[in-house]
Amino acid sequence: MTAVATKTCAPLARVSGDDLQVPLVQGGTTTYANFDYAASAPALAQVTDRVQQLLPFYASVHRGAGYASRISTECYEGARASVTRFLDAADDQVVVFTRNTTDSLNLLAACVPGDTVVLDIEHHANFLPWTEHGRRVVRAGDTIEETIRLLVAELCTKPAALLAVTGASNVTGEVLPLERLAQIAHQCGARILVDAAQLAPHRRISLRDTGIDYLAFSGHKLYAPFGAGVLVGRRDWLDQAEPYLAGGGAVREVTTTGAQWAPAPQRHEAGSPNVLGAAALAAACDALCQIDPETLIAHERELAERLRAGLSAIPGVTQLRLWADSPDIVGIVAFTVDGFAPGEVAAYLSAEHGIGVRDGRFCAHPFLARLGLDGALRASIGLGSHSADVDRLVDAVAALVANGPGWQYAQTAGLWNPTPETRNFTDGAAGAAACL
């Protein structure tokens, strides 16, 4: 075994699919090793339980007099309270339910009364929405301190309404000093938005203590893959902006010549809401609140350090970082393997070892360009991760470097696949559907 660490580390929580059996290209099956939490995390057991409990009561919300409608309404509005507690939101901050982080940031972009300053290392969700709303891009420095100096210079040179930053990089997992950036933004007359899609599943965040004005995250990265996200933030901009969508639920009164719009959050939640998604997200927030933050961090760091140490011992494997002085790193490890395309490595890990990682540019093209890469691999850790899976990943990469793949691989329509492909995805999909 290549992994350096010997201490075992068990999962911190039960997640759906933790005993999933997947076929191998060479024959047989193995338990799936999921290292793609940063893309979409599996549902927590508490989340699936909550959805199952609510399904019999699923009905229209807000205007239904029936018992089921009243229950659904209570669950939907109660979900806002769960998110508020999870983020320790301030009294003037409201919770708007959306589809995901991208949806949340597009909503906020239409509300910002001025320019928005962003870094060049952002995920596309926190880079593209500001394009038509006065986006100003700052090239991140080679250290946190240099990056902060560049942001201060930009904010001081010309007033901006908003500073929009990632909480934790979806490429490297590096964390910015958010409380410090909030203070800087406020001193320069701006507000701050944090894309917490990668941070919220790993670290507890207090909006009240940090001074963060707006924050967005996705349920599908927070162990609640039921199609909901949130935008939490100060009410005034949200109340003054045009509704994100025009339709029922966002109005107080409608005539043939106009409409009187409701205040936030209803102002930006037109149409029938995703009640089950909101309930699932709230259940995930409640479950994470029950886990001691230090225990969560210790579990994640133990596994991440084990993975980093194991990969460091393999010749030709390079791990990606931007800032040596980052105050924290969440459980994300991005790397390359000399002599192999990232897609080929990912296909090999899946086909021959039953291991799922992400490959590509991670919807952060400018960041990968900064690193001089057109692709990489990313292994991400979550509550269901454990040391045996980390060792499997390290050993599989070591075997690839030492001996090459045991199967042939080729690109088809831009995707790497084993040739021949012996796994039957159609039957697998049919089997999954039959379980519903």
Side-chain angles (χ1 to χ4, degrees):
M1 185 182 76
T2 305
V4 175
T6 57
K7 179 181 177 182
T8 60
C9 188
L12 203 55
R14 282 291 312 278
V15 297
S16 297
D18 57 4
D19 57 355
L20 176 66
Q21 296 296 300
V22 296
L24 300 175
V25 72
Q26 67 268 32
T29 63
T30 190
T31 304
Y32 183 58
N34 185 358
F35 286 96
D36 203 15
Y37 279 77
S40 284
L44 282 168
Q46 295 97 317
V47 170
T48 54
D49 289 347
R50 186 69 184 102
V51 171
Q52 288 296 324
Q53 292 166 358
L54 182 56
L55 272 173
F57 301 96
Y58 174 71
S60 62
V61 301
H62 294 146
R63 288 164 298 282
Y67 185 79
S69 289
R70 294 290 297 274
I71 292 293
S72 290
T73 298
E74 288 293 321
C75 287
Y76 185 69
E77 293 303 329
R80 295 192 207 276
S82 291
V83 174
T84 298
R85 287 193 299 271
F86 179 63
L87 296 174
D88 188 27
D91 295 339
D92 67 337
Q93 293 177 319
V94 296
V95 175
V96 181
F97 285 115
T98 64
R99 293 180 298 166
N100 46 46
T101 304
T102 301
D103 200 33
S104 296
L105 299 183
N106 276 272
L107 189 165
L108 183 61
C111 302
V112 179
D115 291 353
T116 297
V117 172
V118 300
L119 291 169
D120 65 334
I121 61 171
E122 297 294 333
H123 184 278
H124 295 167
N126 193 32
F127 193 78
L128 296 176
W130 319 105
T131 305
E132 298 179 2
H133 302 276
R135 184 185 70 186
R136 288 153 48 191
V137 181
V138 173
R139 178 180 170 86
D142 293 331
T143 65
I144 290 284
E145 291 304 317
E146 182 185 357
T147 301
I148 289 175
R149 288 196 295 271
L150 292 169
L151 286 172
V152 170
E154 179 66 28
L155 291 169
C156 292
T157 299
K158 181 182 177 182
L162 185 69
L163 170 63
V165 297
T166 184
S169 168
N170 77 305
V171 177
T172 62
E174 293 167 300
V175 176
L176 283 163
L178 298 177
E179 183 174 358
R180 185 177 172 190
L181 286 175
Q183 293 172 350
I184 289 169
H186 296 160
Q187 290 169 359
C188 295
R191 297 184 183 183
I192 186 170
L193 169 280
V194 174
D195 170 0
Q198 298 297 341
L199 183 63
H202 301 276
R203 302 289 184 268
R204 292 297 302 276
I205 308 162
S206 170
L207 300 186
R208 195 183 304 271
D209 290 345
T210 59
I212 295 169
D213 300 292
Y214 297 92
L215 182 141
F217 66 82
S218 297
H220 74 95
K221 297 184 190 297
L222 197 80
Y223 308 96
F226 292 88
V230 293
L231 171 66
V232 183
R234 294 171 62 177
R235 172 183 292 280
D236 54 350
W237 284 2
L238 297 171
D239 279 348
Q240 293 162 14
E242 289 294 312
Y244 186 47
L245 295 173
V251 293
R252 284 177 168 170
E253 187 70 31
V254 177
T255 68
T256 57
T257 58
Q260 180 184 355
W261 301 106
Q266 290 79 13
R267 188 183 192 90
H268 301 290
E269 291 182 356
S272 296
N274 181 0
V275 179
L276 296 177
L281 192 149
C285 289
D286 292 341
L288 285 168
C289 283
Q290 295 170 7
I291 299 175
D292 175 63
E294 294 304 317
T295 300
L296 189 155
I297 292 172
H299 172 264
E300 178 180 291
R301 285 182 176 166
E302 171 103 14
L303 293 174
E305 289 173 5
R306 187 186 191 102
L307 177 56
R308 293 188 183 103
L311 293 176
S312 296
I314 303 173
V317 173
T318 301
Q319 298 178 47
L320 309 184
R321 286 287 302 272
L322 180 62
W323 299 310
D325 60 339
S326 177
D328 190 11
I329 307 175
V330 301
I332 293 174
V333 180
F335 62 98
T336 59
V337 182
D338 287 353
F340 296 94
E344 182 181 9
V345 178
Y348 153 81
L349 290 171
S350 173
E352 298 184 39
H353 297 276
I355 297 170
V357 298
R358 179 67 45 157
D359 71 277
R361 292 188 286 174
F362 318 121
C363 290
H365 296 180
F367 193 0
L368 266 291
R370 279 283 305 273
L371 299 174
L373 300 170
D374 58 7
L377 294 140
R378 182 183 69 190
S380 46
I381 291 165
L383 297 178
S385 301
H386 52 90
S387 52
D389 280 352
V390 170
D391 295 344
R392 278 177 61 189
L393 174 56
V394 171
D395 289 346
V397 175
L400 175 67
V401 170
N403 306 313
W407 212 257
Q408 294 294 316
Y409 296 86
Q411 280 186 296
T412 305
L415 298 176
W416 284 90
N417 294 288
T419 57
E421 174 63 88
T422 64
R423 299 168 296 171
N424 191 325
F425 295 103
T426 302
D427 287 351
C435 294
L436 298 178

